[in-house]
Amino acid sequence: MKAMKVFRYLRNLVVFVLVMILAVFIYDGYHRVQGTDRESNAHTTVEKRIEQGEDTLSRTDRIIRLFTFKEKVETALNQRVSKEHWVKGDVIPEYTKNALIAIEDKRYYKHGAIDVLGIIRAFYTNTIAGETVEGGSTITQQVVKNLFLSSKRIMSRKIEEAILASEMEHYYTKDEILTMYLNTVYYGHNYYGIYEAAHGYFGTSPSRLTLGQSAMLAALPNAPSYLDPYTNYKGAKARQKLVLEQMVDQGMITQAEADYAYKQDLGLVDE
């Protein structure tokens, strides 16, 4: 009886791994067809420097990274954001976190490091649309990619991303990973992390962000240059509206709160 349970566990584990690899392969294959698999999406010199280092990293160093993972995470975090600009998770408004989850990874607290269903759904949606309109990466995968990996979509990198994401969720809680994302993601205008973005765009601290401002910040990482609220206010507002709609659909806020947040002045700081 015990042997049967072990067999079933191993069988389910093998099936899961195979499905995960297949899903990653399908999603990566889509970008190969689109011709974007080897394009760099680095936004700044900081990201380009990290990407160049990643491109020259040996296989041995990649293996060593797995065995010294927490140390490597701390080093990478320090490269991205200074200690003075690090914002603790408990001072970030709940709706700021929810805005991010709503638009980037609505099942964040329900899946593991990899969301296979999300990858398949994104592949289907993007294929029907004929363009990339939905991502398949979880927030954990995005954190790993932001900290370590090249932005180029290459099959080997997607597999490594999945492995590192699993390591991330082994050592850190979902809340800790979410805080890492908010502190390291690129918001445009050379603003890394929510501290710089809140002060740079709105002249306020992260703890004092309004719902409307939070939705706007959640909108930017998708395309920080294109959605620049100073040069493409209409596009940025459209994405902000989408974030608010997603929050309503997921029961995070009411429709009245979303309408008020959308109409409220953002208080953008003059350039």
Side-chain angles (χ1 to χ4, degrees), residues 79-107:
Q79 287 181 324
R80 281 278 181 169
V81 59
S82 66
K83 291 182 179 180
E84 293 78 15
H85 289 178
W86 182 268
V87 183
K88 294 181 179 179
D90 57 4
V91 302
I92 300 174
E94 202 64 28
Y95 51 68
T96 303
K97 301 174 186 176
N98 285 339
L100 167 64
I101 292 170
I103 196 65
E104 290 291 338
D105 190 356
K106 64 183 68 175
R107 297 181 61 248

Side-chain angles (χ1 to χ4, degrees), residues 60-257:
T60 301
D61 288 333
R62 293 179 192 280
I63 293 173
I64 291 174
R65 178 161 61 190
L66 290 174
F67 291 97
T68 58
F69 188 74
K70 289 197 74 172
E71 178 186 331
K72 297 299 184 184
V73 168
E74 295 303 318
T75 299
L77 288 174
N78 290 333
Q79 287 181 324
R80 281 278 181 169
V81 59
S82 66
K83 291 182 179 180
E84 293 78 15
H85 289 178
W86 182 268
V87 183
K88 294 181 179 179
D90 57 4
V91 302
I92 300 174
E94 202 64 28
Y95 51 68
T96 303
K97 301 174 186 176
N98 285 339
L100 167 64
I101 292 170
I103 196 65
E104 290 291 338
D105 190 356
K106 64 183 68 175
R107 297 181 61 248
Y108 178 62
Y109 283 103
K110 297 178 181 178
H111 59 64
I114 309 298
D115 183 10
V116 175
L117 292 178
I119 295 174
I120 296 173
R121 183 184 65 247
F123 173 73
Y124 173 79
T125 302
N126 295 337
T127 301
I128 296 299
E131 60 179 332
T132 304
V133 296
E134 181 177 341
S137 295
T138 64
I139 286 175
T140 304
Q141 286 176 273
Q142 292 182 55
V143 170
V144 164
K145 186 163 58 177
N146 287 343
L147 294 181
F148 298 120
L149 302 178
S150 165
S151 61
K152 299 172 185 176
R153 295 185 176 96
I154 303 172
M155 185 60 187
S156 61
R157 294 291 165 81
K158 295 298 292 184
I159 293 174
E160 186 176 11
E161 178 184 299
I163 294 171
L164 292 177
S166 296
E167 285 290 288
M168 181 69 79
E169 294 218 352
H170 174 73
Y171 287 106
Y172 299 95
T173 67
K174 287 281 191 179
D175 288 341
E176 288 173 330
I177 295 169
L178 187 65
T179 300
M180 287 184 198
Y181 181 101
L182 288 165
N183 275 284
T184 59
V185 70
Y186 183 61
Y187 287 102
H189 271 272
N190 210 33
Y191 299 146
Y192 279 99
I194 196 166
Y195 178 93
E196 292 184 359
H199 284 276
Y201 283 120
F202 310 120
T204 190
S205 64
S207 63
R208 297 176 65 85
L209 286 168
T210 66
L211 173 58
Q213 291 169 340
S214 297
M216 177 58 75
L217 290 183
L220 298 180
N222 177 257
S225 297
Y226 175 72
L227 294 173
D228 186 331
Y230 291 110
T231 59
N232 184 16
Y233 186 76
K234 185 177 180 180
K237 286 292 289 183
R239 180 75 176 175
Q240 179 206 32
K241 186 176 183 180
L242 178 60
V243 173
L244 292 168
E245 288 173 350
Q246 289 295 316
M247 294 181 76
V248 172
D249 289 345
Q250 295 167 48
M252 296 172 173
I253 58 174
T254 66
Q255 186 62 57
E257 289 172 325

